[in-house]
Amino acid sequence: MALEHAILVSLLEKPGSGYELARRFDRSIGYFWAATHQQIYRVLKRMEHDGWIDAREVAQPDRPDKKEYSVAAPGRSALSRWLHEPIEPESVRHELAVKIRGAAFDDPAALIDEVERHRKAHTDRLAHYLAGERRDFTGPEAPETPDAGQELQHVVLRGGIAYERMTLAWLDDVIATLRRLGPER
Amino acid sequence: MALEHAILVSLLEKPGSGYELARRFDRSIGYFWAATHQQIYRVLKRMEHDGWIDAREVAQPDRPDKKEYSVAAPGRSALSRWLHEPIEPESVRHELAVKIRGAAFDDPAALIDEVERHRKAHTDRLAHYLAGERRDFTGPEAPETPDAGQELQHVVLRGGIAYERMTLAWLDDVIATLRRLGPER
DNA sequence: TCCTTCTATGCAACTCGTTGCATAGACAAG
DNA sequence: CTTGTCTATGCAACGAGTTGCATAGAAGGA
């Protein structure tokens, strides 16, 4: 399980509450590790119980109070231990690929709209990544001498950008293939 | 849930036993939808109970008997229904990306070996995909006029190839970044 | 002969992840 | 003044996925 470790990384980058973490998992780190707020609250509770993180009650005058978490020493060494462990190759779950193969037993052309919907989602995400890259790393507001953390966030973001570009090119290939097969049958 | 649908696609491509399906999920369709034999046997049982698939006992003289499954009419229409439903954008789980961001709080250089191990795994998988493409689609043994099923399997495989190439280029970027950060700290 | 490997199927227990629902204060719009 | 939205946290139930173990026939090697 790696949600604990993703949370540790996120809390080391910046301490925050369960709610704030949940929002980060909707953007930023969530693009590489998805999680809902339920999962996050449950795991935070366990991590606090295990002494990996410290909680601090923060009273907010104009909002409900929150519990701000930060990483404790045992959490830091747990992260370090995990970083030195080898990990298995990712097990992929690519539903769209299954659908495309399945289209052979149905109407291939009927999938085109769906694939174009995905294409649009990936176009949006690419634009979002590129805007983030300009804002944080390559634009005029970006630091001239980034630290290790920023360099590493940037290389991960570059991976996201490369992934979206590759996916867009592939989806075009898929659409062209579906169109080619459609009318004949 | 889509394991049922991945199994339907695989059984439509070719009927087989739970064991044979488990082996396909180690190659082929398993590159886009991972599953263990336990999951497969359990889901097959439910699908048979629901009338989606038919089972046929096959006695084998030199091996244990097996149950060969094939898709029944209700299974086919279930697949068709699923193909016409929209699906959510994939929720990603990219453990290595989390580790790379985590490396900022540890020794970045210590990750290099791990990343190189992944690089090797992706090199092997790319070679495997390319060999499969040559064997089934672009080589001299390949059919001159592929049917829809083959065209669609090919476009999915091209996606896998593009993914591996993109990943290899990105891992080189990651390694270069880690090396750059390593010695300074 | 024993040990391992391959084919073939399955149970039981557990953990992880998802979905629906609930609560509650603060604020803005209608 | 009610309704909706945002912040903030959480429970309960269920479904999906993982891990460990068990069985059993056949083949091949030490």
Side-chain angles (χ1 to χ4, degrees):
Chain A
M1 216 246 305
L3 177 54
E4 289 148 310
H5 303 108
I7 289 176
L8 286 174
V9 171
S10 194
L11 287 179
L12 281 167
E13 287 174 356
K14 190 166 166 30
S17 67
Y19 185 80
E20 283 159 359
L21 280 169
R23 311 212 58 215
R24 289 184 214 170
F25 277 81
D26 287 336
R27 323 177 244 87
S28 174
I29 197 153
Y31 292 133
F32 311 102
W33 198 270
T36 64
H37 80 275
Q38 315 290 357
Q39 262 177 287
I40 292 167
Y41 281 119
R42 210 188 316 152
V43 172
L44 279 174
K45 191 151 282 186
R46 186 175 63 227
M47 289 168 77
E48 189 188 358
H49 176 266
D50 293 346
W52 286 20
I53 54 177
D54 293 323
R56 193 171 63 91
E57 285 281 342
V58 177
Q60 300 185 118
D62 53 344
R63 288 180 195 184
D65 297 355
K66 65 175 181 178
K67 276 166 85 176
E68 192 174 84
Y69 293 98
S70 51
V71 178
R76 243 195 125 100
S77 49
L79 179 67
S80 184
R81 237 177 298 124
W82 176 70
L83 286 170
H84 290 267
E85 273 168 24
I87 51 178
E88 298 305 301
E90 320 282 327
S91 74
V92 183
R93 290 287 157 92
H94 204 314
E95 210 169 351
L96 192 59
V98 177
K99 276 204 177 188
I100 292 165
R101 278 175 75 148
F105 307 99
D106 198 80
D107 176 18
L111 248 186
I112 292 175
D113 284 355
E114 172 79 347
V115 177
E116 273 171 351
R117 224 169 44 80
H118 281 251
R119 198 191 182 288
K120 167 129 189 27
H122 285 280
T123 305
D124 293 349
R125 177 160 290 187
L126 175 59
H128 182 76
Y129 283 174
L130 288 171
E133 187 183 39
R134 234 168 290 127
R135 186 185 62 240
D136 297 335
F137 303 115
T138 58
E141 305 267 290
E144 277 181 56
T145 51
D147 63 25
Q150 290 163 331
E151 291 271 21
L152 291 168
Q153 285 188 32
H154 191 188
V155 78
V156 169
L157 182 57
R158 286 200 297 274
I161 291 167
Y163 176 78
E164 296 305 329
R165 288 195 166 132
M166 180 281 298
T167 300
L168 283 172
W170 177 62
L171 290 177
D172 285 338
D173 185 6
V174 170
I175 291 167
T177 303
L178 290 173
R179 275 199 223 285
R180 202 150 26 81
L181 293 174
E184 293 168 36
R185 279 144 245 262
Chain B
M1 214 244 307
L3 178 54
E4 288 149 312
H5 303 108
I7 288 176
L8 285 174
V9 171
S10 194
L11 287 180
L12 281 167
E13 286 174 356
K14 190 168 166 27
S17 66
Y19 185 81
E20 283 159 0
L21 280 170
R23 310 210 60 216
R24 289 183 215 171
F25 276 81
D26 287 336
R27 322 178 244 87
S28 176
I29 197 153
Y31 292 133
F32 311 102
W33 199 271
T36 64
H37 81 274
Q38 316 288 357
Q39 263 178 285
I40 292 167
Y41 280 119
R42 209 186 318 148
V43 172
L44 280 174
K45 190 150 284 187
R46 186 175 63 226
M47 291 169 76
E48 189 189 356
H49 176 265
D50 293 346
W52 287 20
I53 53 177
D54 293 322
R56 193 171 61 91
E57 286 280 343
V58 178
Q60 301 184 115
D62 54 343
R63 289 180 195 183
D65 296 355
K66 66 175 179 178
K67 275 166 84 176
E68 194 175 83
Y69 292 98
S70 51
V71 178
R76 243 194 126 103
S77 50
L79 180 68
S80 185
R81 239 177 297 125
W82 176 70
L83 285 171
H84 290 267
E85 273 168 24
I87 49 176
E88 299 305 301
E90 320 282 326
S91 74
V92 183
R93 292 286 158 94
H94 203 315
E95 210 169 351
L96 193 59
V98 177
K99 275 203 176 189
I100 292 165
R101 277 174 77 148
F105 308 98
D106 199 80
D107 176 17
L111 248 187
I112 292 175
D113 285 356
E114 173 79 346
V115 177
E116 274 171 349
R117 223 169 45 81
H118 281 251
R119 197 192 182 290
K120 169 133 188 23
H122 285 280
T123 306
D124 292 349
R125 176 160 291 187
L126 175 59
H128 183 75
Y129 284 173
L130 288 172
E133 188 184 39
R134 233 168 290 127
R135 186 186 62 240
D136 297 334
F137 304 114
T138 59
E141 305 267 292
E144 278 180 57
T145 52
D147 63 25
Q150 289 163 332
E151 291 271 20
L152 291 168
Q153 285 188 32
H154 191 189
V155 78
V156 169
L157 182 57
R158 287 200 296 275
I161 290 167
Y163 176 79
E164 296 305 328
R165 288 195 166 130
M166 180 279 297
T167 300
L168 284 172
W170 177 61
L171 290 176
D172 285 338
D173 186 7
V174 170
I175 291 166
T177 304
L178 290 172
R179 275 199 224 286
R180 203 150 25 81
L181 294 173
E184 293 167 36
R185 281 143 245 259

